[in-house]
Amino acid sequence: GAVVSQHPSWVICKSGTSVKIECRSLDFQATTMFWYRQFPKQSLMLMATSNEGSKATYEQGVEKDKFLINHASLTLSTLTVTSAHPEDSSFYICSARDGTVATNEKLFFGSGTQLSVL
Amino acid sequence: GENVEQHPSTLSVQEGDSAVIKCTYSDSASNYFPWYKQELGKRPQLIIDIRSNVGEKKDQRIAVTLNKTAKHFSLHITETQPEDSAVYFCAASNTNSGYSTLTFGKGTMLLVSP
């Protein structure tokens, strides 16, 4: 299946700093990528949908100025957590669809990023 | 929007037994239903999916059934093995609605005891 690479796998930062997470589709073009947040023992909560070449669409309750998303190419989307605070500590995971296949609904996930804000 | 309910939240079985996880969805327009397996600290892996034009799909020890009228779908794992232990998520989406976001259930932690 398609491979989605996500980096870093874990990051520890001080409160008030910004953290950038990268999500790459390695062997396919992803016109759309999705960013999720997952708390321990909980489900995947969609944060935003990242569309190549346009502004991201954020879910209700997600601050777009705090979670900056850039999808500048067909293989790369980034999520930047700005001015991180301890409550932002979580597992962030991206997913992507193969945009070259019109009927392909399958989503492939990155390996996730565990963010710990001190 | 779509709402997906998943039961049970935890499921313990003995090795060799069958395991069944059930999900219901609210949006009758949803037409794609994947199941993901997530091991601790790992990415969710797609294990099987079904589309609304099919009532059942099987892949070795894993099967999924769909009842569109009742708006529920189930995952069946036969001859369970310890390596099946993980959290399983069901999801639903309407692939006719543009970029087809997935709505996930809350997950089922499956524990298979040797």
Side-chain angles (χ1 to χ4, degrees), chain A residues 1 16 25 39 42 49 68-69 71 75 78-79 84 91 97 100 102 110:
Chain A
S25 56
F39 291 104
Q42 294 192 23
T49 301
L68 299 179
I69 291 173
H71 194 158
T75 59
T78 60
L79 168 67
F91 189 63
R97 284 177 56 239
T100 61

Side-chain angles (χ1 to χ4, degrees), chain B residues 20-25 33-35 48-52 54-59 62-68 71-77 90-91:
Chain B
V20 180
I21 303 171
K22 298 181 179 181
C23 288
T24 61
Y25 60 99
F33 309 92
W35 286 87
I48 196 167
D49 56 8
I50 192 169
R51 292 168 180 79
S52 59
V54 176
E56 183 175 359
K57 184 176 179 180
K58 189 173 182 179
D59 182 4
I62 295 173
V64 57
T65 58
L66 170 66
N67 183 326
K68 286 191 299 181
K71 288 189 284 189
H72 68 68
F73 56 112
S74 301
L75 177 71
H76 304 253
I77 306 175
C90 63

Side-chain angles (χ1 to χ4, degrees), chain A residues 6-72:
Chain A
Q6 184 173 343
H7 294 281
S9 56
W10 59 271
V11 58
I12 302 173
C13 68
K14 292 182 179 180
S15 185
T17 61
S18 294
V19 175
K20 180 184 283 188
I21 303 170
E22 292 188 348
C23 182
R24 293 180 184 273
S25 56
L26 297 187
D27 52 0
F28 65 99
Q29 294 181 334
T31 52
T32 304
M33 289 185 174
F34 304 91
W35 287 95
Y36 293 85
R37 185 172 180 176
Q38 187 176 33
F39 291 104
K41 298 184 179 181
Q42 294 192 23
S43 189
L44 297 138
M45 300 301 298
L46 180 65
M47 298 175 64
T49 301
S50 168
N51 299 296
E52 187 268 335
S54 64
K55 291 183 179 180
T57 302
Y58 290 82
E59 295 299 302
Q60 189 174 7
V62 178
E63 299 177 57
K64 62 180 181 180
D65 294 331
K66 180 163 186 64
F67 298 100
L68 299 179
I69 291 173
N70 184 279
H71 194 158

Side-chain angles (χ1 to χ4, degrees), chain B:
Chain B
E2 176 65 275
N3 182 49
V4 177
E5 299 284 339
Q6 183 172 347
H7 299 280
S9 56
T10 58
L11 179 59
S12 294
V13 300
Q14 291 290 321
E15 182 177 3
D17 289 349
S18 295
V20 180
I21 303 171
K22 298 181 179 181
C23 288
T24 61
Y25 60 99
S26 62
D27 188 352
S28 57
S30 289
N31 59 356
Y32 175 63
F33 309 92
W35 286 87
Y36 287 85
K37 174 184 179 182
Q38 186 179 29
E39 297 176 5
L40 187 63
K42 301 283 184 65
R43 75 185 80 197
Q45 298 274 12
L46 177 67
I47 57 172
I48 196 167
D49 56 8
I50 192 169
R51 292 168 180 79
S52 59
N53 59 346
V54 176
E56 183 175 359
K57 184 176 179 180
K58 189 173 182 179
D59 182 4
Q60 299 183 329
R61 295 187 297 109
I62 295 173
V64 57
T65 58
L66 170 66
N67 183 326
K68 286 191 299 181
T69 303
K71 288 189 284 189
H72 68 68
F73 56 112
S74 301
L75 177 71
H76 304 253
I77 306 175
T78 58
E79 300 173 26
T80 54
Q81 302 166 2
E83 50 266 38
D84 293 330
S85 297
V87 178
Y88 291 81
F89 293 99
C90 63
S93 73
N94 175 5
T95 62
N96 296 318
S97 66
Y99 47 72
S100 62
T101 57
L102 279 177
T103 300
F104 285 87
K106 292 188 182 301
T108 296
M109 179 176 290
L110 174 64
L111 177 62
V112 181
S113 302

